Amino acid sequence: MIIYTIKKLSSFIFVIFFCTYAYSLENKILIKIDNDIITLIDLEKEINYLTALNPNIKNLEKNRIRKLSMNSLVREKIKLNELLKYMEVVDIENEYLDLLVESMFLKLGLNSTEEFIDYLKRNNVEIQEVNEKLKIEIAWNQLIYSKFSKNLKIDKEQIKKNLLSKDNLFINSYLLSEILFNVINTNNFEEKFNLIQKDISEKGFKNAALIHSISETSSLGGNIGWIDENTLNIKIKEKISKLKINQYTAPIKVPSGFLIIKLSDIKKIKKNINLDKEIEKIVKVKTNQQLNQFANIYFNKIKKDIKIDEQ
């Protein structure tokens, strides 16, 4: 009886050991970010998440998908660690979160939160994962605003003058996408741009944005959406006005790196006859543009002080 019990106990211990060992192999550490880690399971979840949001990712090679998913995780971890310096827990009001979730599922052509939840489950993603990621992005944007709102440079009077100086009742609205990239050494600029052009040619602009862009729009294939011409700065507007549909600009130097913009479509829209509302609309767009630049600069600054080790 004692021998039988010992045998059963030994088998039980072996099962525990084997399962623990198997799990450790399955969930091995891939990257250490200061005192934080990214595991294989984290990576698999991120691949599922990014693929659910942008099915075009499936068209990339597996190693490309793995790399962009890893970059996305590293970026998120760095943001979260920075946020936790200023708050004990990252949390956002449900009403605001619900609005962003709605925006996400509408872009996917879905009609309700329930449809979105079912869609996510089919892609092995839980709605809680989406919510946690959105909370980090919202809190990050709030942090950037609190740090840099005083540095915003928006001339409302000039905007008003520009609007009043145009007699035409219609203006151009552009459907745009972007790739924002950086180079550590300016000597590598041509090499980097040639690589991006090669991927645009072979894989399409959306997939090139997924691979190379450091902008927040990268997970959406660089999609910016429809932008009215009067919200663009003069330099970018001049570049876009020379493009034909489906063409893209040469890299434009901006504070946060180099920007490539693709023109996907053009339409004429009637100018808003409410001057105050039109000014408010333009101020909002320009505010977001400047804050995005500050966000990229700030992120690159804090990233330099973080130790990132691949295992």
Side-chain angles (χ1 to χ4, degrees):
M1 183 65 180
I2 293 174
I3 294 174
Y4 175 74
T5 304
I6 291 173
K7 285 182 177 179
K8 287 197 71 176
L9 182 60
S10 298
S11 299
F12 181 66
I13 292 171
F14 174 76
V15 169
I16 292 175
F17 173 77
F18 178 78
C19 290
T20 304
Y21 177 70
Y23 179 79
S24 65
L25 284 177
E26 180 187 1
N27 197 31
K28 67 177 182 178
I29 295 172
L30 301 177
I31 288 184
K32 287 186 177 180
I33 304 171
D34 283 346
N35 296 321
D36 211 342
I37 61 170
I38 292 175
T39 68
L40 184 57
I41 288 179
D42 293 329
L43 179 60
E44 289 171 353
K45 286 183 176 181
E46 189 70 9
I47 290 172
N48 291 338
Y49 172 75
L50 293 178
T51 304
L53 290 188
N54 192 338
N56 285 322
I57 291 177
K58 294 177 182 177
N59 299 327
L60 300 176
E61 301 94 335
K62 286 185 177 179
N63 65 321
R64 292 272 200 176
I65 296 173
R66 180 186 172 95
K67 184 176 180 180
L68 77 90
S69 299
M70 187 65 76
N71 289 341
S72 176
L73 279 172
V74 170
R75 191 173 182 85
E76 183 178 85
K77 290 283 188 183
I78 292 173
K79 287 180 179 179
L80 179 58
N81 289 343
E82 184 68 11
L83 288 170
L84 292 176
K85 295 176 183 178
Y86 299 90
M87 57 188 74
E88 291 184 6
V89 62
V90 176
D91 201 9
I92 302 297
E93 292 180 9
N94 287 334
E95 289 183 8
Y96 192 24
L97 198 59
D98 290 343
L99 286 173
L100 288 175
V101 168
E102 181 181 3
S103 175
M104 289 181 79
F105 69 65
L106 289 175
K107 286 179 181 177
L108 290 166
L110 304 172
N111 300 311
S112 66
T113 304
E114 290 71 25
E115 283 187 27
F116 187 43
I117 291 171
D118 290 339
Y119 171 81
L120 291 172
K121 285 183 177 178
R122 292 196 301 272
N123 287 274
N124 300 311
V125 180
E126 295 295 328
I127 188 66
Q128 290 81 5
E129 296 174 45
V130 176
N131 288 342
E132 290 306 311
K133 288 178 175 294
L134 286 176
K135 287 178 183 178
I136 292 171
E137 286 305 312
I138 296 167
W140 173 259
N141 290 338
Q142 290 174 342
L143 176 65
I144 296 300
Y145 184 82
S146 67
K147 282 182 170 293
F148 299 105
S149 59
K150 60 183 178 293
N151 300 116
L152 293 172
K153 295 179 180 178
I154 298 173
D155 190 339
K156 288 187 179 182
E157 284 302 313
Q158 186 60 51
I159 292 171
K160 184 177 180 179
K161 285 180 182 178
N162 291 341
L163 289 172
L164 292 173
S165 67
K166 296 177 181 178
D167 298 327
N168 198 336
L169 291 175
F170 293 89
I171 60 172
N172 287 326
S173 185
Y174 302 112
L175 182 58
L176 304 176
S177 299
E178 67 178 354
I179 296 174
L180 178 66
F181 69 96
N182 256 325
V183 288
I184 298 174
N185 189 328
T186 53
N187 294 330
N188 298 329
F189 173 82
E190 287 296 330
E191 181 182 351
K192 178 71 174 180
F193 181 45
N194 289 337
L195 179 59
I196 293 173
Q197 284 186 301
K198 182 175 182 291
D199 282 335
I200 291 174
S201 176
E202 295 178 357
K203 299 177 173 64
F205 196 92
K206 286 185 178 180
N207 287 331
L210 286 168
I211 296 166
H212 299 288
S213 183
I214 60 172
S215 169
E216 299 298 336
T217 62
S218 63
S219 62
L220 301 173
N223 180 47
I224 300 173
W226 287 99
I227 302 294
D228 297 350
E229 63 177 331
N230 53 18
T231 65
L232 297 167
N233 73 43
I234 294 174
K235 181 169 69 171
I236 291 178
K237 181 182 173 181
E238 285 178 353
K239 300 285 186 183
I240 293 172
S241 66
K242 296 175 183 177
L243 297 177
K244 294 179 181 179
I245 290 176
N246 290 326
Q247 289 184 333
Y248 57 89
T249 65
I252 304 166
K253 185 73 179 76
V254 295
S256 50
F258 296 92
L259 186 65
I260 300 170
I261 300 179
K262 180 189 174 185
L263 174 63
S264 297
D265 203 355
I266 306 174
K267 64 182 179 182
K268 294 282 186 181
I269 61 171
K270 194 169 183 179
K271 285 170 62 174
N272 192 335
I273 58 174
N274 188 318
L275 186 62
D276 290 336
K277 283 188 176 180
E278 188 66 13
I279 292 172
E280 182 182 339
K281 176 183 173 183
I282 295 171
V283 167
K284 184 177 179 181
V285 172
K286 289 184 176 292
T287 296
N288 287 335
Q289 290 170 348
Q290 291 186 29
L291 287 175
N292 284 337
Q293 290 183 347
F294 286 129
N296 285 319
I297 293 169
Y298 184 66
F299 178 84
N300 290 332
K301 180 181 177 182
I302 61 175
K303 185 180 177 182
K304 288 179 181 178
D305 298 325
I306 292 174
K307 186 179 180 182
I308 301 175
D309 292 323
E310 293 192 25
Q311 301 300 296

